């Protein structure tokens, strides 16, 4: 019997583009597009494979796929699957890794420059045609501390070093990494934070990293230091962060991810002082569709040749 592959991505263009490319490559499979959750639910009973964006794959959709053999997420993070009881234990969930370094690193640099140079204040001055100048803070010579040393961190370290920054890292899994001067353990996070002009969170979310940035860590930072979170919202205690910002414990924050998403208009982080907010777009770049494609092809080949058992699940 022909296996059915349902594809639902961030956009119709992405979904249709994948089907147009994949269908001729794998004629033994049947590819179908879903453009909404409702559309996915209608196709769920026949789905053997689902290709989609992890946060947009709810438990009820997985539960409706009674013939499901494999999920390919078009994201790196798979934390929403970790406690999803509707997902059978034998169904592998594969993800996208080692491709988002450029866009996430560019977002980090954008936020660092925006915070250091007070770009939001410049925009406000422009709106009212007010000519106002102040001394600009350069990234050159500043210390960047990266919490979590994976592929994205390596790219960011390269970019930062090129700009003349000193880069240190925090990891329990690595003793050295390219373009990083010194690596501290997680037990030494407070020491590393105290040296940082910019502390960037790029660690995966787990039980060990939940609220890893807390009031204690924030109080260890310089009052001129900035926190950036490009990982997962729950890696940072937002309540503690808001208090630190209001009390001047740190100078500001650049945030792309939040404990509750989408960010409700009533959330106090919107009005916290010296915060630059981006709506979880660090990895969401115009090149991402192309970046994901080789992984999707590779995994479909494995699925065809070896079945779902040949795939390495990101949940293990």
């Amino acid at each position: 019997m022909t296996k059915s592959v349902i594809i639902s991505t961030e956009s119709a263009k992405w979904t249709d583009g994948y089907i147009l490319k994949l269908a001729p490559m794998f004629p033994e499979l049947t590819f179908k597009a879903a453009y909404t959750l409702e559309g996915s639910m209608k196709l769920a009973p026949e789905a053997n494979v689902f290709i989609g964006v992890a946060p947009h794959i709810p438990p009820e959709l997985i539960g409706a796929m009674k013939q499901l053999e494999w999920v390919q997420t078009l994201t790196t993070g798979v934390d929403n699957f970790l406690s999803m009881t509707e997902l059978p234990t034998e169904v592998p969930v594969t993800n996208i890794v080692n491709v988002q370094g450029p866009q996430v690193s560019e977002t980090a640099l954008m936020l660092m420059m925006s915070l250091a140079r007070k770009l939001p204040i410049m925009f406000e001055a422009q709106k009212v045609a007010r000519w106002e100048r102040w001394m600009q803070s350069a990234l050159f010579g500043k210390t960047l501390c990266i919490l979590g040393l994976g592929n994205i961190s390596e790219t960011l370290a390269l970019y930062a070093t090129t700009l003349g920054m000193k880069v240190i890292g925090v990891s329990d899994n690595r003793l050295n990494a390219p373009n990083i001067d010194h690596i501290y353990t997680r037990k030494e996070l407070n020491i590393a934070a105290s040296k940082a002009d910019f502390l960037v969170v790029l660690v995966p979310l787990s039980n060990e990293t939940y609220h890893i940035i807390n009031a204690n860590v924030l109080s260890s930072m310089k009052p001129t230091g900035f926190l950036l979170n490009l990982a997962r919202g729950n890696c940072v205690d937002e309540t503690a962060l808001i208090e630190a910002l209001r009390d001047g414990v740190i100078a500001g924050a650049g945030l792309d991810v939040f404990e509750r998403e989408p960010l409700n208009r009533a959330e106090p982080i919107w009005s916290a002082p010296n915060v630059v907010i981006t709506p979880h777009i660090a990895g969401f770049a115009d090149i991402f569709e192309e970046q994901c494609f080789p992984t999707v092809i590779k995994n479909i080949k494995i699925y065809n040749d070896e079945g779902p058992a040949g795939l390495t699940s990101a949940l293990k």
Side-chain angles (χ1 to χ4, degrees):
M1 184 177 69
T2 303
K3 300 290 187 177
S4 180
V5 181
I6 312 303
I7 301 180
S8 181
T9 70
E10 293 272 38
S11 70
K13 177 178 177 292
W14 188 354
T15 298
D16 292 342
Y18 266 28
I19 289 179
L20 286 172
K21 293 176 184 177
L22 291 170
M25 296 175 66
F26 302 98
E28 66 278 15
L29 300 175
T30 299
F31 292 89
K32 294 187 178 181
Y35 305 105
T36 62
L37 177 57
E38 181 181 11
S40 295
M41 291 295 292
K42 288 181 179 178
L43 295 172
E46 65 184 82
N48 300 111
V49 177
F50 189 83
I51 300 175
V53 180
H56 300 170
I57 305 175
E60 60 267 26
L61 177 58
I62 293 295
M65 296 182 182
K66 301 304 182 183
Q67 301 184 70
L68 185 64
E69 296 180 341
W70 164 41
V71 177
Q72 171 67 60
T73 74
L74 301 175
T75 56
T76 299
V78 293
D79 34 281
N80 62 309
F81 289 102
L82 295 175
S83 58
M84 191 181 291
T85 56
E86 292 81 359
L87 180 71
T89 55
E90 71 274 11
V91 173
V93 177
T94 55
N95 61 344
I96 303 295
V97 296
N98 300 335
V99 300
Q100 293 178 293
Q103 57 261 45
V104 176
S105 298
E106 288 179 23
T107 302
L109 293 176
M110 176 187 73
L111 290 173
M112 286 192 283
M113 291 179 180
S114 297
L115 290 162
R117 293 174 175 264
K118 302 180 181 178
L119 191 60
I121 297 176
M122 289 187 188
F123 286 152
E124 292 302 315
Q126 181 179 342
K127 289 178 183 178
V128 296
R130 183 178 73 246
W131 182 267
E132 185 178 1
R133 302 173 72 232
W134 57 84
M135 190 70 69
Q136 294 293 291
S137 178
L139 296 186
F140 184 88
K142 299 295 193 302
T143 296
L144 166 63
C145 176
I146 307 175
L147 171 57
L149 297 180
N151 174 265
I152 293 173
S153 299
E154 288 190 8
T155 304
L156 177 56
L158 172 62
Y159 290 4
T161 301
T162 303
L163 290 172
M165 300 184 76
K166 178 182 179 181
V167 185
I168 59 177
V170 178
S171 174
D172 282 345
N173 301 317
R174 303 185 70 171
L175 298 176
N176 56 71
N179 300 299
I180 295 181
D181 295 333
H182 184 80
I183 297 178
Y184 296 85
T185 65
R186 286 186 186 172
K187 289 183 178 180
E188 300 173 306
L189 175 56
N190 285 16
I191 298 173
S194 71
K195 299 179 181 297
D197 295 298
F198 299 92
L199 173 56
V200 179
V201 183
L202 283 172
V203 71
L205 179 63
S206 65
N207 291 335
E208 291 73 28
T209 61
Y210 177 83
H211 284 187
I212 190 170
I213 301 297
N214 51 34
N216 187 27
V217 174
L218 293 167
S219 66
S220 299
M221 294 179 64
K222 303 175 183 178
T224 55
F226 297 98
L227 174 74
L228 277 68
N229 189 7
L230 301 172
R232 285 291 183 267
N234 283 316
C235 292
V236 174
D237 182 342
E238 276 183 24
T239 301
L241 174 60
I242 292 169
E243 291 179 1
L245 291 164
R246 289 177 176 170
D247 294 343
V249 174
I250 62 173
L255 305 173
D256 185 60
V257 290
F258 304 88
E259 293 196 82
R260 292 163 293 278
E261 293 185 10
L263 195 57
N264 189 288
R265 295 180 66 181
E267 292 291 341
I269 193 66
W270 284 111
S271 57
N274 300 324
V275 174
V276 176
I277 287 175
T278 53
H280 204 152
I281 46 81
F284 187 46
D286 54 359
I287 59 173
F288 191 50
E289 174 185 337
E290 180 182 344
Q291 290 173 316
C292 293
F293 198 57
T295 298
V296 174
I297 293 174
K298 180 192 73 172
N299 286 339
I300 291 178
K301 288 179 178 177
I302 294 173
Y303 174 75
N304 271 348
D305 295 342
E306 306 175 36
L311 295 161
T312 302
S313 179
L315 303 182
K316 292 181 179 178

